[in-house]
Amino acid sequence: MPPVPRTLAMAPDADGDQATSAPSGSSDGVMVPEPFTLVVFGASGDLTRRKLVPAVYDLWCDGLLPPEFAVVGYARSTKTEDEFRAGLRTGVEEFSRAESLDEVSWQRFASRLHYMSGRYDDPSGFRALRKRLEDDAEQGAGAANVLFYLATPPGSFQAIIASLGESGLARRGTGVAPWSRIIIEKPFGRDLASARDLNRELLAAFDERQVFRIDHYLGKETVQNILVLRFANSIFDPLWNAKYVDHVQVTVAEQVGVEGRGPYYEQAGALRDIVQNHMMHLLCLVAMEPPLALDAEAVRDEKVKVLRSLRPIPPECVAEGVVRGQYVAGEIGGERVPGYRDEDGVAADSVTETFVAMKLFIDNWRWAGVPFYLRTGKRMAVRMTEISIHFKPIPQVLFGAPPRGPLQPNVLSVRIQPNDGISMRFQVKVPGPAMQIEPYQMDFGYADAFRRAPEAYERLILDAALGDRTLFTRSDEVEAAWAFVEPILEGCRGCPDVCPSTYPAGSWGPAEADTLLEADGRKWMLVRRPKK
Ligand code: BG6
């Protein structure tokens, strides 16, 4: 397989971080990181098997990892290296981009997978890890640069960070060679105070420039394409503001339920699981001003400005502007599926929301008065993540006046998944003697134009190894997102009726979500069925 070119060529940071993160080589113009060892905490878990190792394997097969690359898995379960490799092999067979597993590549790759068991708060375990990394680097079985990946449940984050600090593995500072960096999974905290605590602990052990807070949505090609659409084309930016845009809709709809993660989801709900992170990133990319450059600080500066411009939804206003729902039993794809309260690990009287719809405003010059409608839910009618920009209607003269008008306004839709692409709705004349006008949809599909894109985790692991933080969340960004979401969470707790409305699995959420837009004379964008 030929290497996949990186789509956004990011400039080195203005702060000179590039000096310690210079890639060691290139293959066909594609950057390959310096030799490094990936240390995965939580290596016996599902994320490692389903996402991380298949992504790393695909990068390896594409020649995007240095030959000295190695993985050291660290987790609490006791297992042999052979058992560890065998478990990961099934993950690669099932989830890698490769159509079938090539035995020779696998054997070469597998020889670089190692495993250690230990507790996350045990100094002797971390001493042993340090010794192993140093020995491996000396003997050429690994590299001295280390990328730590926290793939554990969030309850273990603090212990691991403290142990990395105390054992000297964190090597605080960016001018230090060999480097060490840390990738930390979401959820980053469960409210503003816990996110701040986590940031404090993280930044006591590491420098902010060593920290890579991951949100896999930012690794999706189509999410990155929002910036390209907006800033690599001259025709959109002049229209991208309150003068021309009537409103914006963002939908993240999933068909899956909680997939065996009941206990986690009970604590999270849709607000923490999707709105605070994935949806805030989408919103920022759609609404932000052009950054000064495509470097990490400039892009993230603009995203933070959007988050800080969000009009707060105080707890007492949550009942009006926010709709919460919870799915009950229903049908998806012709199959009966249970309600949320019947899922494993979910309380029979749970009031956790599996659906949220809300209207929000960005109080800045560009977006003054433009409503942004967000909705997300599990067990929805279709799987679909889409952003649609609804332009203002034409004046009520000429074609806009009766009997022809009012005509349907123009809509630009960015489909993140599935059937990734972009479509534009505009009016055309129906051929014939009469002036008959109909809306037409012009469509661009990624799959028709390009070959299969790399998975989000491939891009993100590679970027972290290259030291590029653009697609990772900065400390102030994560805190600004929590600062917006927290009063909503508080309002939900304080609602006289804390029970979310119900909706049948396989539907589009509770009726109140439709009312939210209908009250403003608008409707949720009609959903096109995914291509068969
Ligand atoms: C995760 C959430 O972050 O994103 C899951 O915890 C959700 O609940 C998943 O299902 C959705 O990701 P994707 O890439 O399938 O849209």
Side-chain angles (χ1 to χ4, degrees), residues 51 185-187 215-217 220 252-254 256-259 261 264-265 272-274 277-278 378 383 385 417 456-457:
K51 297 285 185 191
E185 264 294 335
K186 71 169 268 273
D215 180 311
H216 77 280
Y217 255 58
K220 291 182 192 273
V252 177
E254 297 186 87
V256 292
V258 289
E259 295 185 294
R261 294 192 305 157
Y264 154 76
Y265 202 84
R272 289 188 174 92
D273 188 45
I274 300 281
N277 35 75
H278 303 330
K378 293 223 178 257
R383 173 175 182 246
T385 297
Q417 59 188 24
Y457 278 97

PDB file of all heavy atoms in Angstrom, residues 51 185-187 215-217 220 252-254 256-259 261 264-265 272-274 277-278 378 383 385 417 456-457, ligand 1:
ATOM      1  N   LYS A  51      -8.894  -0.137  18.321  1.00  0.00           N
ATOM      2  CA  LYS A  51      -8.528   1.113  17.639  1.00  0.00           C
ATOM      3  C   LYS A  51      -7.019   1.343  17.554  1.00  0.00           C
ATOM      4  O   LYS A  51      -6.493   1.591  16.469  1.00  0.00           O
ATOM      5  CB  LYS A  51      -9.155   2.310  18.378  1.00  0.00           C
ATOM      6  CG  LYS A  51     -10.669   2.317  18.397  1.00  0.00           C
ATOM      7  CD  LYS A  51     -11.227   2.728  17.059  1.00  0.00           C
ATOM      8  CE  LYS A  51     -12.725   2.866  17.088  1.00  0.00           C
ATOM      9  NZ  LYS A  51     -13.289   3.014  15.739  1.00  0.00           N
ATOM     10  N   GLU A 185      -6.889  10.198  26.766  1.00  0.00           N
ATOM     11  CA  GLU A 185      -8.193   9.976  26.132  1.00  0.00           C
ATOM     12  C   GLU A 185      -9.274  10.822  26.789  1.00  0.00           C
ATOM     13  O   GLU A 185      -9.122  11.285  27.912  1.00  0.00           O
ATOM     14  CB  GLU A 185      -8.585   8.492  26.273  1.00  0.00           C
ATOM     15  CG  GLU A 185      -8.236   7.629  25.085  1.00  0.00           C
ATOM     16  CD  GLU A 185      -9.022   7.974  23.806  1.00  0.00           C
ATOM     17  OE1 GLU A 185     -10.134   8.533  23.894  1.00  0.00           O
ATOM     18  OE2 GLU A 185      -8.502   7.677  22.716  1.00  0.00           O
ATOM     19  N   LYS A 186     -10.376  10.967  26.109  1.00  0.00           N
ATOM     20  CA  LYS A 186     -11.546  11.576  26.714  1.00  0.00           C
ATOM     21  C   LYS A 186     -12.269  10.523  27.549  1.00  0.00           C
ATOM     22  O   LYS A 186     -12.039   9.343  27.310  1.00  0.00           O
ATOM     23  CB  LYS A 186     -12.462  12.166  25.643  1.00  0.00           C
ATOM     24  CG  LYS A 186     -13.188  11.098  24.785  1.00  0.00           C
ATOM     25  CD  LYS A 186     -14.249  11.686  23.932  1.00  0.00           C
ATOM     26  CE  LYS A 186     -15.595  11.694  24.579  1.00  0.00           C
ATOM     27  NZ  LYS A 186     -16.406  10.472  24.407  1.00  0.00           N
ATOM     28  N   PRO A 187     -13.103  10.805  28.504  1.00  0.00           N
ATOM     29  CA  PRO A 187     -13.498  12.151  28.905  1.00  0.00           C
ATOM     30  C   PRO A 187     -12.431  12.814  29.775  1.00  0.00           C
ATOM     31  O   PRO A 187     -11.858  12.168  30.645  1.00  0.00           O
ATOM     32  CB  PRO A 187     -14.773  11.904  29.713  1.00  0.00           C
ATOM     33  CG  PRO A 187     -14.628  10.519  30.257  1.00  0.00           C
ATOM     34  CD  PRO A 187     -13.831   9.759  29.247  1.00  0.00           C
ATOM     35  N   ASP A 215      -9.287  13.820  20.933  1.00  0.00           N
ATOM     36  CA  ASP A 215     -10.716  13.692  20.632  1.00  0.00           C
ATOM     37  C   ASP A 215     -10.733  13.126  19.228  1.00  0.00           C
ATOM     38  O   ASP A 215     -10.362  13.811  18.276  1.00  0.00           O
ATOM     39  CB  ASP A 215     -11.395  15.062  20.668  1.00  0.00           C
ATOM     40  CG  ASP A 215     -12.881  14.949  20.362  1.00  0.00           C
ATOM     41  OD1 ASP A 215     -13.230  14.295  19.357  1.00  0.00           O
ATOM     42  OD2 ASP A 215     -13.689  15.502  21.118  1.00  0.00           O
ATOM     43  N   HIS A 216     -11.139  11.865  19.079  1.00  0.00           N
ATOM     44  CA  HIS A 216     -10.915  11.209  17.785  1.00  0.00           C
ATOM     45  C   HIS A 216     -11.668  11.884  16.641  1.00  0.00           C
ATOM     46  O   HIS A 216     -11.322  11.716  15.484  1.00  0.00           O
ATOM     47  CB  HIS A 216     -11.218   9.707  17.866  1.00  0.00           C
ATOM     48  CG  HIS A 216     -12.674   9.377  17.854  1.00  0.00           C
ATOM     49  ND1 HIS A 216     -13.474   9.480  18.959  1.00  0.00           N
ATOM     50  CD2 HIS A 216     -13.490   8.954  16.860  1.00  0.00           C
ATOM     51  CE1 HIS A 216     -14.704   9.125  18.650  1.00  0.00           C
ATOM     52  NE2 HIS A 216     -14.746   8.802  17.374  1.00  0.00           N
ATOM     53  N   TYR A 217     -12.678  12.706  16.971  1.00  0.00           N
ATOM     54  CA  TYR A 217     -13.396  13.412  15.894  1.00  0.00           C
ATOM     55  C   TYR A 217     -12.448  14.301  15.088  1.00  0.00           C
ATOM     56  O   TYR A 217     -12.611  14.472  13.898  1.00  0.00           O
ATOM     57  CB  TYR A 217     -14.538  14.253  16.485  1.00  0.00           C
ATOM     58  CG  TYR A 217     -15.879  13.615  16.235  1.00  0.00           C
ATOM     59  CD1 TYR A 217     -16.135  12.322  16.691  1.00  0.00           C
ATOM     60  CD2 TYR A 217     -16.875  14.268  15.518  1.00  0.00           C
ATOM     61  CE1 TYR A 217     -17.335  11.713  16.447  1.00  0.00           C
ATOM     62  CE2 TYR A 217     -18.094  13.657  15.268  1.00  0.00           C
ATOM     63  CZ  TYR A 217     -18.320  12.381  15.738  1.00  0.00           C
ATOM     64  OH  TYR A 217     -19.515  11.772  15.477  1.00  0.00           O
ATOM     65  N   LYS A 220     -10.763  12.778  12.087  1.00  0.00           N
ATOM     66  CA  LYS A 220     -11.552  12.373  10.907  1.00  0.00           C
ATOM     67  C   LYS A 220     -11.238  13.329   9.759  1.00  0.00           C
ATOM     68  O   LYS A 220     -11.278  14.553   9.935  1.00  0.00           O
ATOM     69  CB  LYS A 220     -13.054  12.414  11.232  1.00  0.00           C
ATOM     70  CG  LYS A 220     -13.503  11.344  12.232  1.00  0.00           C
ATOM     71  CD  LYS A 220     -15.004  11.411  12.459  1.00  0.00           C
ATOM     72  CE  LYS A 220     -15.427  10.576  13.647  1.00  0.00           C
ATOM     73  NZ  LYS A 220     -15.695   9.185  13.359  1.00  0.00           N
ATOM     74  N   VAL A 252     -25.333  14.823  15.390  1.00  0.00           N
ATOM     75  CA  VAL A 252     -24.490  13.632  15.571  1.00  0.00           C
ATOM     76  C   VAL A 252     -25.446  12.526  16.004  1.00  0.00           C
ATOM     77  O   VAL A 252     -25.838  12.444  17.169  1.00  0.00           O
ATOM     78  CB  VAL A 252     -23.396  13.849  16.634  1.00  0.00           C
ATOM     79  CG1 VAL A 252     -22.594  12.558  16.855  1.00  0.00           C
ATOM     80  CG2 VAL A 252     -22.444  14.979  16.226  1.00  0.00           C
ATOM     81  N   ALA A 253     -25.905  11.738  15.034  1.00  0.00           N
ATOM     82  CA  ALA A 253     -26.893  10.693  15.334  1.00  0.00           C
ATOM     83  C   ALA A 253     -26.219   9.335  15.215  1.00  0.00           C
ATOM     84  O   ALA A 253     -25.497   9.077  14.261  1.00  0.00           O
ATOM     85  CB  ALA A 253     -28.051  10.776  14.346  1.00  0.00           C
ATOM     86  N   GLU A 254     -26.457   8.488  16.212  1.00  0.00           N
ATOM     87  CA  GLU A 254     -25.887   7.140  16.197  1.00  0.00           C
ATOM     88  C   GLU A 254     -27.015   6.123  16.232  1.00  0.00           C
ATOM     89  O   GLU A 254     -28.040   6.365  16.869  1.00  0.00           O
ATOM     90  CB  GLU A 254     -25.015   6.919  17.429  1.00  0.00           C
ATOM     91  CG  GLU A 254     -23.820   7.829  17.510  1.00  0.00           C
ATOM     92  CD  GLU A 254     -22.947   7.429  18.685  1.00  0.00           C
ATOM     93  OE1 GLU A 254     -22.101   6.561  18.499  1.00  0.00           O
ATOM     94  OE2 GLU A 254     -23.156   7.972  19.782  1.00  0.00           O
ATOM     95  N   VAL A 256     -26.195   2.979  17.228  1.00  0.00           N
ATOM     96  CA  VAL A 256     -25.806   2.074  18.315  1.00  0.00           C
ATOM     97  C   VAL A 256     -26.354   2.586  19.648  1.00  0.00           C
ATOM     98  O   VAL A 256     -26.664   3.771  19.802  1.00  0.00           O
ATOM     99  CB  VAL A 256     -24.266   1.946  18.432  1.00  0.00           C
ATOM    100  CG1 VAL A 256     -23.691   1.238  17.234  1.00  0.00           C
ATOM    101  CG2 VAL A 256     -23.608   3.308  18.642  1.00  0.00           C
ATOM    102  N   GLY A 257     -26.444   1.657  20.593  1.00  0.00           N
ATOM    103  CA  GLY A 257     -26.835   2.041  21.949  1.00  0.00           C
ATOM    104  C   GLY A 257     -25.582   2.269  22.767  1.00  0.00           C
ATOM    105  O   GLY A 257     -24.595   2.815  22.258  1.00  0.00           O
ATOM    106  N   VAL A 258     -25.562   1.778  24.009  1.00  0.00           N
ATOM    107  CA  VAL A 258     -24.386   2.040  24.843  1.00  0.00           C
ATOM    108  C   VAL A 258     -23.323   0.942  24.725  1.00  0.00           C
ATOM    109  O   VAL A 258     -22.268   1.038  25.348  1.00  0.00           O
ATOM    110  CB  VAL A 258     -24.755   2.301  26.321  1.00  0.00           C
ATOM    111  CG1 VAL A 258     -25.440   3.642  26.446  1.00  0.00           C
ATOM    112  CG2 VAL A 258     -25.622   1.204  26.891  1.00  0.00           C
ATOM    113  N   GLU A 259     -23.599  -0.075  23.930  1.00  0.00           N
ATOM    114  CA  GLU A 259     -22.601  -1.089  23.572  1.00  0.00           C
ATOM    115  C   GLU A 259     -21.815  -1.640  24.759  1.00  0.00           C
ATOM    116  O   GLU A 259     -20.585  -1.622  24.747  1.00  0.00           O
ATOM    117  CB  GLU A 259     -21.610  -0.503  22.566  1.00  0.00           C
ATOM    118  CG  GLU A 259     -22.239  -0.151  21.258  1.00  0.00           C
ATOM    119  CD  GLU A 259     -21.195   0.307  20.257  1.00  0.00           C
ATOM    120  OE1 GLU A 259     -20.599   1.356  20.483  1.00  0.00           O
ATOM    121  OE2 GLU A 259     -20.963  -0.416  19.279  1.00  0.00           O
ATOM    122  N   ARG A 261     -21.310  -0.410  27.547  1.00  0.00           N
ATOM    123  CA  ARG A 261     -20.628   0.567  28.406  1.00  0.00           C
ATOM    124  C   ARG A 261     -21.615   1.255  29.351  1.00  0.00           C
ATOM    125  O   ARG A 261     -21.474   2.430  29.680  1.00  0.00           O
ATOM    126  CB  ARG A 261     -19.933   1.611  27.539  1.00  0.00           C
ATOM    127  CG  ARG A 261     -18.796   1.054  26.695  1.00  0.00           C
ATOM    128  CD  ARG A 261     -17.974   2.185  26.103  1.00  0.00           C
ATOM    129  NE  ARG A 261     -18.812   3.106  25.345  1.00  0.00           N
ATOM    130  CZ  ARG A 261     -18.486   4.373  25.101  1.00  0.00           C
ATOM    131  NH1 ARG A 261     -17.369   4.875  25.533  1.00  0.00           N
ATOM    132  NH2 ARG A 261     -19.297   5.145  24.396  1.00  0.00           N
ATOM    133  N   TYR A 264     -20.295   3.276  32.417  1.00  0.00           N
ATOM    134  CA  TYR A 264     -19.668   4.546  32.012  1.00  0.00           C
ATOM    135  C   TYR A 264     -20.738   5.546  31.572  1.00  0.00           C
ATOM    136  O   TYR A 264     -20.757   6.706  31.993  1.00  0.00           O
ATOM    137  CB  TYR A 264     -18.668   4.311  30.861  1.00  0.00           C
ATOM    138  CG  TYR A 264     -18.471   5.540  29.994  1.00  0.00           C
ATOM    139  CD1 TYR A 264     -17.690   6.615  30.441  1.00  0.00           C
ATOM    140  CD2 TYR A 264     -19.111   5.662  28.755  1.00  0.00           C
ATOM    141  CE1 TYR A 264     -17.540   7.764  29.668  1.00  0.00           C
ATOM    142  CE2 TYR A 264     -18.976   6.810  27.980  1.00  0.00           C
ATOM    143  CZ  TYR A 264     -18.193   7.850  28.437  1.00  0.00           C
ATOM    144  OH  TYR A 264     -18.066   8.997  27.686  1.00  0.00           O
ATOM    145  N   TYR A 265     -21.663   5.079  30.730  1.00  0.00           N
ATOM    146  CA  TYR A 265     -22.626   6.007  30.134  1.00  0.00           C
ATOM    147  C   TYR A 265     -23.572   6.589  31.191  1.00  0.00           C
ATOM    148  O   TYR A 265     -23.986   7.744  31.104  1.00  0.00           O
ATOM    149  CB  TYR A 265     -23.422   5.305  29.018  1.00  0.00           C
ATOM    150  CG  TYR A 265     -24.008   6.308  28.052  1.00  0.00           C
ATOM    151  CD1 TYR A 265     -23.252   6.808  27.003  1.00  0.00           C
ATOM    152  CD2 TYR A 265     -25.306   6.795  28.227  1.00  0.00           C
ATOM    153  CE1 TYR A 265     -23.768   7.753  26.146  1.00  0.00           C
ATOM    154  CE2 TYR A 265     -25.829   7.746  27.377  1.00  0.00           C
ATOM    155  CZ  TYR A 265     -25.056   8.217  26.327  1.00  0.00           C
ATOM    156  OH  TYR A 265     -25.564   9.179  25.477  1.00  0.00           O
ATOM    157  N   ARG A 272     -22.105  14.852  28.362  1.00  0.00           N
ATOM    158  CA  ARG A 272     -20.657  14.694  28.614  1.00  0.00           C
ATOM    159  C   ARG A 272     -19.984  13.852  27.539  1.00  0.00           C
ATOM    160  O   ARG A 272     -18.823  14.056  27.221  1.00  0.00           O
ATOM    161  CB  ARG A 272     -20.423  14.022  29.970  1.00  0.00           C
ATOM    162  CG  ARG A 272     -20.733  14.887  31.159  1.00  0.00           C
ATOM    163  CD  ARG A 272     -20.282  14.197  32.440  1.00  0.00           C
ATOM    164  NE  ARG A 272     -20.435  15.051  33.591  1.00  0.00           N
ATOM    165  CZ  ARG A 272     -21.520  15.091  34.366  1.00  0.00           C
ATOM    166  NH1 ARG A 272     -22.548  14.305  34.087  1.00  0.00           N
ATOM    167  NH2 ARG A 272     -21.589  15.901  35.393  1.00  0.00           N
ATOM    168  N   ASP A 273     -20.716  12.880  27.008  1.00  0.00           N
ATOM    169  CA  ASP A 273     -20.099  11.930  26.086  1.00  0.00           C
ATOM    170  C   ASP A 273     -19.853  12.547  24.706  1.00  0.00           C
ATOM    171  O   ASP A 273     -18.845  12.258  24.066  1.00  0.00           O
ATOM    172  CB  ASP A 273     -21.012  10.698  25.959  1.00  0.00           C
ATOM    173  CG  ASP A 273     -20.372   9.565  25.184  1.00  0.00           C
ATOM    174  OD1 ASP A 273     -19.193   9.271  25.459  1.00  0.00           O
ATOM    175  OD2 ASP A 273     -21.031   8.976  24.304  1.00  0.00           O
ATOM    176  N   ILE A 274     -20.760  13.379  24.247  1.00  0.00           N
ATOM    177  CA  ILE A 274     -20.663  13.890  22.872  1.00  0.00           C
ATOM    178  C   ILE A 274     -20.658  15.420  22.811  1.00  0.00           C
ATOM    179  O   ILE A 274     -19.855  16.018  22.097  1.00  0.00           O
ATOM    180  CB  ILE A 274     -21.856  13.362  22.018  1.00  0.00           C
ATOM    181  CG1 ILE A 274     -21.863  11.828  21.962  1.00  0.00           C
ATOM    182  CG2 ILE A 274     -21.843  13.979  20.625  1.00  0.00           C
ATOM    183  CD1 ILE A 274     -20.904  11.193  20.997  1.00  0.00           C
ATOM    184  N   ASN A 277     -17.432  17.530  23.959  1.00  0.00           N
ATOM    185  CA  ASN A 277     -16.190  17.348  23.209  1.00  0.00           C
ATOM    186  C   ASN A 277     -16.439  17.344  21.697  1.00  0.00           C
ATOM    187  O   ASN A 277     -16.178  18.344  21.030  1.00  0.00           O
ATOM    188  CB  ASN A 277     -15.472  16.086  23.688  1.00  0.00           C
ATOM    189  CG  ASN A 277     -16.473  15.004  24.076  1.00  0.00           C
ATOM    190  OD1 ASN A 277     -17.065  14.371  23.218  1.00  0.00           O
ATOM    191  ND2 ASN A 277     -16.696  14.800  25.382  1.00  0.00           N
ATOM    192  N   HIS A 278     -16.974  16.226  21.151  1.00  0.00           N
ATOM    193  CA  HIS A 278     -17.089  16.117  19.694  1.00  0.00           C
ATOM    194  C   HIS A 278     -17.884  17.298  19.100  1.00  0.00           C
ATOM    195  O   HIS A 278     -17.487  17.909  18.115  1.00  0.00           O
ATOM    196  CB  HIS A 278     -17.786  14.819  19.289  1.00  0.00           C
ATOM    197  CG  HIS A 278     -17.117  13.581  19.809  1.00  0.00           C
ATOM    198  ND1 HIS A 278     -15.764  13.492  20.030  1.00  0.00           N
ATOM    199  CD2 HIS A 278     -17.622  12.360  20.151  1.00  0.00           C
ATOM    200  CE1 HIS A 278     -15.463  12.277  20.473  1.00  0.00           C
ATOM    201  NE2 HIS A 278     -16.574  11.583  20.563  1.00  0.00           N
ATOM    202  N   LYS A 378     -28.311   8.542  20.809  1.00  0.00           N
ATOM    203  CA  LYS A 378     -28.042   7.121  20.543  1.00  0.00           C
ATOM    204  C   LYS A 378     -29.352   6.483  20.119  1.00  0.00           C
ATOM    205  O   LYS A 378     -30.428   6.962  20.458  1.00  0.00           O
ATOM    206  CB  LYS A 378     -27.534   6.448  21.815  1.00  0.00           C
ATOM    207  CG  LYS A 378     -26.156   6.975  22.215  1.00  0.00           C
ATOM    208  CD  LYS A 378     -25.240   5.862  22.640  1.00  0.00           C
ATOM    209  CE  LYS A 378     -23.870   6.354  22.992  1.00  0.00           C
ATOM    210  NZ  LYS A 378     -22.876   6.110  21.950  1.00  0.00           N
ATOM    211  N   ARG A 383     -27.493   6.380  11.284  1.00  0.00           N
ATOM    212  CA  ARG A 383     -26.207   6.911  11.752  1.00  0.00           C
ATOM    213  C   ARG A 383     -25.849   8.072  10.839  1.00  0.00           C
ATOM    214  O   ARG A 383     -25.788   7.912   9.610  1.00  0.00           O
ATOM    215  CB  ARG A 383     -25.138   5.821  11.676  1.00  0.00           C
ATOM    216  CG  ARG A 383     -23.745   6.328  11.976  1.00  0.00           C
ATOM    217  CD  ARG A 383     -22.745   5.191  12.014  1.00  0.00           C
ATOM    218  NE  ARG A 383     -21.424   5.681  12.354  1.00  0.00           N
ATOM    219  CZ  ARG A 383     -20.392   5.661  11.513  1.00  0.00           C
ATOM    220  NH1 ARG A 383     -20.528   5.168  10.298  1.00  0.00           N
ATOM    221  NH2 ARG A 383     -19.224   6.134  11.888  1.00  0.00           N
ATOM    222  N   THR A 385     -23.600  11.983  10.938  1.00  0.00           N
ATOM    223  CA  THR A 385     -23.051  13.199  11.525  1.00  0.00           C
ATOM    224  C   THR A 385     -22.973  14.217  10.393  1.00  0.00           C
ATOM    225  O   THR A 385     -22.338  13.963   9.363  1.00  0.00           O
ATOM    226  CB  THR A 385     -21.657  12.943  12.130  1.00  0.00           C
ATOM    227  OG1 THR A 385     -21.808  12.005  13.197  1.00  0.00           O
ATOM    228  CG2 THR A 385     -21.049  14.211  12.690  1.00  0.00           C
ATOM    229  N   GLN A 417     -20.054  11.718   8.393  1.00  0.00           N
ATOM    230  CA  GLN A 417     -20.134  10.267   8.248  1.00  0.00           C
ATOM    231  C   GLN A 417     -21.587   9.836   8.267  1.00  0.00           C
ATOM    232  O   GLN A 417     -22.401  10.529   8.897  1.00  0.00           O
ATOM    233  CB  GLN A 417     -19.358   9.563   9.371  1.00  0.00           C
ATOM    234  CG  GLN A 417     -19.878   9.911  10.760  1.00  0.00           C
ATOM    235  CD  GLN A 417     -19.029   9.394  11.892  1.00  0.00           C
ATOM    236  OE1 GLN A 417     -17.857   9.148  11.750  1.00  0.00           O
ATOM    237  NE2 GLN A 417     -19.627   9.216  13.044  1.00  0.00           N
ATOM    238  N   ALA A 456      -9.180   7.794  12.006  1.00  0.00           N
ATOM    239  CA  ALA A 456      -8.846   8.969  12.825  1.00  0.00           C
ATOM    240  C   ALA A 456      -7.646   8.701  13.739  1.00  0.00           C
ATOM    241  O   ALA A 456      -6.752   9.537  13.887  1.00  0.00           O
ATOM    242  CB  ALA A 456     -10.057   9.362  13.656  1.00  0.00           C
ATOM    243  N   TYR A 457      -7.593   7.499  14.335  1.00  0.00           N
ATOM    244  CA  TYR A 457      -6.511   7.218  15.286  1.00  0.00           C
ATOM    245  C   TYR A 457      -5.152   7.162  14.593  1.00  0.00           C
ATOM    246  O   TYR A 457      -4.127   7.464  15.203  1.00  0.00           O
ATOM    247  CB  TYR A 457      -6.792   5.931  16.059  1.00  0.00           C
ATOM    248  CG  TYR A 457      -7.740   6.171  17.219  1.00  0.00           C
ATOM    249  CD1 TYR A 457      -9.092   5.923  17.100  1.00  0.00           C
ATOM    250  CD2 TYR A 457      -7.266   6.680  18.420  1.00  0.00           C
ATOM    251  CE1 TYR A 457      -9.963   6.167  18.155  1.00  0.00           C
ATOM    252  CE2 TYR A 457      -8.117   6.929  19.484  1.00  0.00           C
ATOM    253  CZ  TYR A 457      -9.467   6.672  19.352  1.00  0.00           C
ATOM    254  OH  TYR A 457     -10.311   6.922  20.391  1.00  0.00           O
TER     255      TYR A 457
HETATM  256  C1  BG6 B   1     -17.134   8.227  21.581  1.00  0.00           C
HETATM  257  C2  BG6 B   1     -18.300   8.094  22.512  1.00  0.00           C
HETATM  258  O1  BG6 B   1     -16.315   9.287  21.978  1.00  0.00           O
HETATM  259  O2  BG6 B   1     -17.602   8.459  20.270  1.00  0.00           O
HETATM  260  C3  BG6 B   1     -19.223   6.974  22.059  1.00  0.00           C
HETATM  261  O3  BG6 B   1     -17.839   7.811  23.824  1.00  0.00           O
HETATM  262  C4  BG6 B   1     -19.638   7.217  20.627  1.00  0.00           C
HETATM  263  O4  BG6 B   1     -20.372   6.904  22.896  1.00  0.00           O
HETATM  264  C5  BG6 B   1     -18.415   7.435  19.747  1.00  0.00           C
HETATM  265  O5  BG6 B   1     -20.363   6.069  20.189  1.00  0.00           O
HETATM  266  C6  BG6 B   1     -18.828   7.848  18.351  1.00  0.00           C
HETATM  267  O6  BG6 B   1     -17.702   7.873  17.522  1.00  0.00           O
HETATM  268  P1  BG6 B   1     -17.838   7.607  15.963  1.00  0.00           P
HETATM  269  O7  BG6 B   1     -16.472   7.815  15.433  1.00  0.00           O
HETATM  270  O8  BG6 B   1     -18.356   6.230  15.801  1.00  0.00           O
HETATM  271  O9  BG6 B   1     -18.825   8.627  15.470  1.00  0.00           O
END
